[in-house]
Amino acid sequence: MAEEVKVFGRWTSPFCCRVEIALRLKGVPYEYIEEDLSNKSPLLLEYNPVHKKVPVLVHGGKPIAESLVVLEYIEETWRRNPILPEDPHRRAMARFWTKFIDEKCMPIMWKSLWSEGEMQLKLMEETKENLSILERELNSKKFFGGNSIGLVDIAASFLSCWTEVLQEVAGISLFGEAKHPILFKWANEFMSSDAVKVCLPPKDELLSHFRAMKEGMSATKAGQN
Amino acid sequence: MADKVVLLSSWASVFGLRVQIALAEKEVDYEFREEDLFDKSSLLLESNPVHKKVPVLIHNGKPVCESSVIIQYIDEVWTKGPSLLPKDPLQRANARFWTDFIGKTIYPCGSKIWRNKGDAQVQAAAKKELIGILKQLEGELGERPFFGGETLGYVDIALVPFSRWFYTYETFGRFSIEKECPKLMAWVRRCNDRESVSKVLPDPHKVYQRNCGLKKRLGLE
């Protein structure tokens, strides 16, 4: 009998979305448990005592944390529809690009959305350059993984609805058809694929969530002045 | 056709040293090219155009960048030597999790200690944080001889090069890691018994001298 799979996540998190996409791609049934990050469950704290964060995948009672670690675990445990190539050099390249996305693209884009003035301009430039780098890597492929969705595509899922919503909330333009046409086309292709579209949060709800977050931040700042 | 393996790195780079230990464990012959990080070679800039950093492993002309990626590559290509990662997916996930943890915590925290320019509060906080990180790692090690179990593995290789930087952190931060984390230091000594580690890792005093020079050069004194 197959062991139970659970995902502890937060609907607003692109990191959690990554895990669900990978499970869907591989046809792995799972139970999703929504976490309130302002009031974390004892189970979450037990399963991820080091970081106390989502996502956490629990397979047969055993927890795995950190989304990219989880993706590799999913790949190694459920072999159907592989998300990594067989060739070691191509695997290394896929891992390199997922690290680039995780350690450079995403954090710098996130900071650019919430910062102001000169700092914001600087971070926006850096973000646009990072996206251009990604675009050059994608080149003429349908997906980063080639003809089918792979590890890098899944890691880049924040470029789907999140980027669109966050740009609207922040009132800045970082990523669009004009500036990054190839990557933009990829994002649409990615978002419309079966395994992905069911995992993406509804855009209007995500917009409300981040608008509220921004208002909260502005209120805190006004209170501090 | 014989494999041609070149490693672009710097003698004191903890990330480069990880790769050197992995190559030594697998008994892979390679050419080491020392990079001047203030005057990077065109080969380095071509091989790692995104980050322009060491280490870069060039295997038959194809570059691989990022130390954790390189070590997994080495493990997948040279399958005759000892396995660096466990076979079981859950244990592999655990090894990746702790390597990710080490990569994100020790270097930035250690830098706040030795690169500190007279801010005692920042340095004190960083010191406390580093001790916390090392104690967490001690907890994860438990009673095992190595993080990899009976032999050196992925996590051991990721962590042990930092042990040659401990003297730098201790001297600038004025504390003793042996005193705070004796079990971890016992693990360090076990690692040093392995030739792949002892022949590769630099003298901690030389690392300290290098860091003193670097601090001066960067105007952080």
Side-chain angles (χ1 to χ4, degrees):
Chain A
M1 192 187 77
E3 285 180 304
E4 213 178 28
V5 179
K6 294 183 185 185
V7 175
F8 287 76
R10 176 87 185 121
W11 69 274
T12 56
S13 161
F15 301 99
C16 300
C17 190
R18 288 170 170 178
V19 173
E20 289 197 85
I21 291 172
L23 291 169
R24 293 262 176 187
L25 269 171
K26 288 179 179 269
V28 179
Y30 63 95
E31 182 194 342
Y32 177 82
I33 295 136
E34 181 70 28
E35 278 287 329
D36 173 359
L37 299 182
S38 62
N39 186 19
K40 293 172 184 177
S41 71
L43 258 184
L44 176 65
L45 300 177
E46 193 192 307
Y47 284 142
N48 191 0
V50 176
H51 300 301
K52 305 176 175 53
K53 284 181 179 177
V54 288
V56 176
L57 181 86
V58 183
H59 183 206
K62 306 257 168 62
I64 301 112
E66 291 298 301
S67 64
L68 296 185
V69 175
V70 176
L71 291 180
E72 295 247 22
Y73 176 81
I74 290 171
E75 172 68 352
E76 288 170 0
T77 306
W78 295 282
R79 302 296 198 148
R80 198 170 147 218
N81 295 335
I83 57 175
L84 270 172
E86 296 259 341
D87 172 68
H89 191 260
R90 289 182 60 211
R91 289 163 78 83
M93 290 313 295
R95 288 178 176 134
F96 173 86
W97 288 109
T98 57
K99 273 193 91 141
F100 174 71
I101 287 165
D102 235 34
E103 291 169 14
K104 280 266 156 78
C105 285
M106 286 180 81
I108 292 172
M109 182 185 275
W110 179 257
K111 279 186 206 164
S112 75
L113 292 157
W114 304 107
S115 59
E116 287 168 354
E118 279 297 314
M119 179 54 86
Q120 187 177 47
L121 289 171
K122 184 172 171 271
L123 291 166
M124 281 172 69
E125 275 316 300
E126 209 180 328
T127 299
K128 287 175 201 166
E129 180 48 36
N130 288 337
L131 292 175
S132 296
I133 291 171
L134 265 186
E135 202 171 45
R136 284 194 290 272
E137 169 54 23
L138 181 61
N139 203 7
S140 53
K141 296 183 293 217
K142 186 178 179 191
F143 296 111
F144 288 97
N147 288 324
S148 57
I149 289 173
L151 188 72
V152 184
D153 302 276
I154 299 172
S157 53
F158 78 107
L159 284 174
S160 57
C161 51
W162 280 273
T163 302
E164 200 186 327
V165 161
L166 288 164
Q167 283 180 113
E168 201 174 316
V169 169
I172 60 173
S173 171
L174 290 167
F175 173 57
E177 194 169 11
K179 293 189 178 87
H180 302 97
I182 298 169
L183 205 56
F184 190 79
K185 187 174 169 219
W186 165 85
N188 285 324
E189 194 75 62
F190 180 73
M191 279 196 280
S192 53
S193 79
D194 290 335
V196 175
K197 63 184 175 208
V198 295
C199 299
L200 297 178
K203 189 188 157 188
D204 49 355
E205 286 177 41
L206 203 62
L207 195 56
S208 300
H209 168 82
F210 283 112
R211 276 215 174 107
M213 191 170 162
K214 184 165 191 201
E215 273 154 34
M217 280 164 78
S218 305
T220 309
K221 251 190 159 171
Q224 284 169 348
N225 283 340
Chain B
M1 191 187 82
D3 270 331
K4 182 165 163 63
V5 184
V6 176
L7 176 65
L8 307 180
S9 189
S10 167
W11 68 271
S13 159
V14 283
F15 303 102
L17 291 165
R18 289 171 165 183
V19 177
Q20 287 184 261
I21 295 171
L23 290 166
E25 281 284 309
K26 299 277 194 177
E27 294 178 16
V28 176
D29 284 325
Y30 67 98
E31 179 196 341
F32 180 90
R33 289 197 202 170
E34 179 72 28
E35 283 285 335
D36 175 353
L37 302 179
F38 288 93
D39 185 15
K40 293 171 182 177
S41 71
S42 50
L43 182 61
L44 174 60
L45 300 176
E46 262 164 47
S47 309
N48 191 357
V50 175
H51 301 299
K52 305 174 177 54
K53 283 183 177 177
V54 293
V56 179
L57 187 82
I58 307 175
H59 182 206
N60 294 332
K62 288 186 181 168
V64 183
C65 309
E66 295 292 317
S67 63
S68 59
V69 176
I70 298 171
I71 296 170
Q72 290 181 84
Y73 175 81
I74 290 168
D75 205 31
E76 288 172 8
V77 170
W78 288 280
T79 49
K80 274 191 185 153
S83 281
L84 304 178
L85 275 100
K87 295 274 184 265
D88 169 68
L90 189 66
Q91 287 179 29
R92 287 166 77 83
N94 201 47
R96 287 183 175 122
F97 175 88
W98 285 104
T99 299
D100 176 74
F101 175 80
I102 289 161
K104 287 182 174 144
T105 56
I106 300 182
Y107 192 82
C109 189
S111 289
K112 281 188 223 166
I113 298 173
W114 76 270
R115 284 182 177 230
N116 188 272
K117 197 180 174 181
D119 190 333
Q121 241 181 336
V122 166
Q123 196 183 59
K127 209 165 85 182
K128 193 175 170 196
E129 196 189 336
L130 184 67
I131 293 166
I133 291 162
L134 296 178
K135 281 192 195 287
Q136 252 179 320
L137 288 164
E138 243 186 357
E140 171 56 20
L141 179 66
E143 299 307 312
R144 295 175 295 171
F146 299 100
F147 290 90
E150 292 305 309
T151 54
L152 211 70
Y154 189 51
V155 180
D156 303 276
I157 293 172
L159 181 59
V160 78
F162 284 102
S163 67
R164 299 304 167 101
W165 281 62
F166 285 174
Y167 180 71
T168 296
Y169 302 148
E170 287 170 316
T171 310
F172 280 102
R174 280 190 280 248
F175 67 114
S176 159
I177 294 175
E178 175 75 60
K179 195 173 162 208
E180 302 286 348
C181 306
K183 279 188 160 176
L184 196 69
M185 292 312 292
W187 163 82
V188 169
R189 286 187 283 275
R190 281 193 293 277
C191 289
N192 287 336
D193 280 341
R194 284 193 76 78
E195 226 176 65
S196 61
V197 174
S198 59
K199 283 201 163 165
V200 158
L201 294 189
D203 182 327
H205 294 91
K206 280 201 174 136
V207 172
Y208 173 72
Q209 293 303 333
R210 175 258 191 197
N211 293 335
C212 287
L214 191 57
K215 202 169 167 172
K216 206 171 177 175
R217 196 167 177 180
L218 296 170
L220 295 167
E221 280 192 320

